[in-house]
Amino acid sequence: MTQVRRASLADQAAELLLERIRSGEWALGEKLPGETTLAPQLGVGRSTVREAIRQLAGRGVLTSRQGAGVFVTALEVPEDWDAVLRRADIVSVIEARVAIEAEAAALAAARRTHADLRAIRRALARRAENRSDIERHVDVDTQFHRAIVVAAHNPVLVEMFDSFTPRVLAAMIDMLRLRQDFGSDADQQAHAELADAIADRDAAAASRLSRAHLGELRQALT
């Protein structure tokens, strides 16, 4: 049985446990042996085993259930979210935005408050007022879409939207510089119709309009 021999014992113990999980020694959902069993196998003390388990729990591989033990929750370390976004192309990001924002628009129509609606209307007005400067236009357009996601009252959707935003902004600005076509009356009207659907609590229309707008954006970027 391979044992830890060098410094950083907890780190090495965590890697050894991860290797054993990857090899299939413990199946997904299976309970790990106790500290008194794992410690001599790894050649470390029980406190080091506890720290190794905490590390793998923080990486999403293990979970500790009070009174029950430690269980395998993943067979591999989940990839860092930022790394996924860095590798994704812009079309993939837009497709993910469609999934997020179409649902957020429907939820916003059902859950929006008067304060949410005022924020959406203010962002819409700023969007109408900023049609000459590309970077400013993209900025206020993002504010409008974010106001809708916030109105869905789902913090996970807001966090996901905020993760996508930096990836989308640069591509949007580059695209508009090439096309020199942005801020048209038709485009502003499409955003106004989306705001109206949310104000009218028409979830189906809000979702459809959001999906249509982002679908057009996807086509423009390909």
Side-chain angles (χ1 to χ4, degrees):
M1 184 74 67
T2 303
Q3 294 187 344
V4 174
R5 294 185 179 86
R6 296 190 299 275
S8 304
L9 295 180
D11 291 347
Q12 292 184 64
E15 287 304 312
L16 288 173
L17 284 175
L18 183 58
E19 287 176 12
R20 293 169 67 178
I21 291 168
R22 285 171 173 156
S23 71
E25 184 169 342
W26 300 294
L28 189 65
E30 189 174 346
K31 181 180 177 180
L32 262 63
E35 294 172 5
T36 53
T37 299
L38 289 174
Q41 290 180 357
L42 296 172
V44 297
R46 292 174 59 185
S47 62
T48 301
V49 173
R50 282 195 294 273
E51 176 58 28
I53 288 171
R54 278 195 293 270
Q55 287 188 24
L56 292 179
R59 297 164 74 184
V61 176
L62 299 175
T63 186
S64 296
R65 301 174 190 167
Q66 189 170 6
V70 177
F71 297 82
V72 177
T73 52
L75 301 180
E76 184 55 88
V77 177
E79 189 169 11
D80 179 74
W81 178 240
D82 289 338
V84 173
L85 287 179
R86 283 194 298 270
R87 194 177 63 254
D89 61 42
I90 190 62
V91 172
S92 297
V93 174
I94 294 296
E95 289 173 349
R97 276 192 65 187
V98 172
I100 292 168
E101 293 189 48
E103 178 63 18
L107 291 173
R111 299 174 178 176
R112 60 87 178 160
T113 64
H114 291 302
D116 293 328
L117 193 55
R118 285 194 297 271
I120 292 170
R121 295 292 193 197
R122 282 196 301 269
L124 181 66
R126 285 194 295 269
R127 194 179 186 282
E129 294 164 359
N130 291 274
R131 303 200 212 182
S132 57
D133 180 88
I134 293 175
E135 292 188 8
R136 178 59 180 162
H137 178 76
V138 171
D139 184 47
V140 295
D141 178 73
T142 301
Q143 292 173 20
F144 171 81
H145 288 279
R146 189 179 190 279
I148 292 173
V149 177
V150 169
H153 293 276
N154 183 314
V156 177
L157 291 178
V158 175
E159 183 174 349
M160 293 178 75
F161 180 90
D162 288 345
S163 296
F164 289 144
T165 298
R167 180 88 169 119
V168 174
L169 289 182
M172 284 279 293
I173 292 168
D174 290 344
M175 177 197 72
L176 294 178
R177 280 182 177 146
L178 288 172
R179 296 177 65 205
Q180 288 296 314
D181 177 23
F182 64 95
S184 66
D185 289 342
D187 181 59
Q188 183 66 19
Q189 179 59 32
H191 285 74
E193 290 174 359
L194 174 56
D196 288 342
I198 292 170
D200 294 340
R201 299 195 184 277
D202 189 338
S207 179
R208 173 176 52 79
L209 290 166
S210 177
R211 187 178 296 277
H213 164 65
L214 289 168
E216 291 174 3
L217 176 59
R218 179 186 182 281
Q219 289 181 345
L221 289 169
T222 58

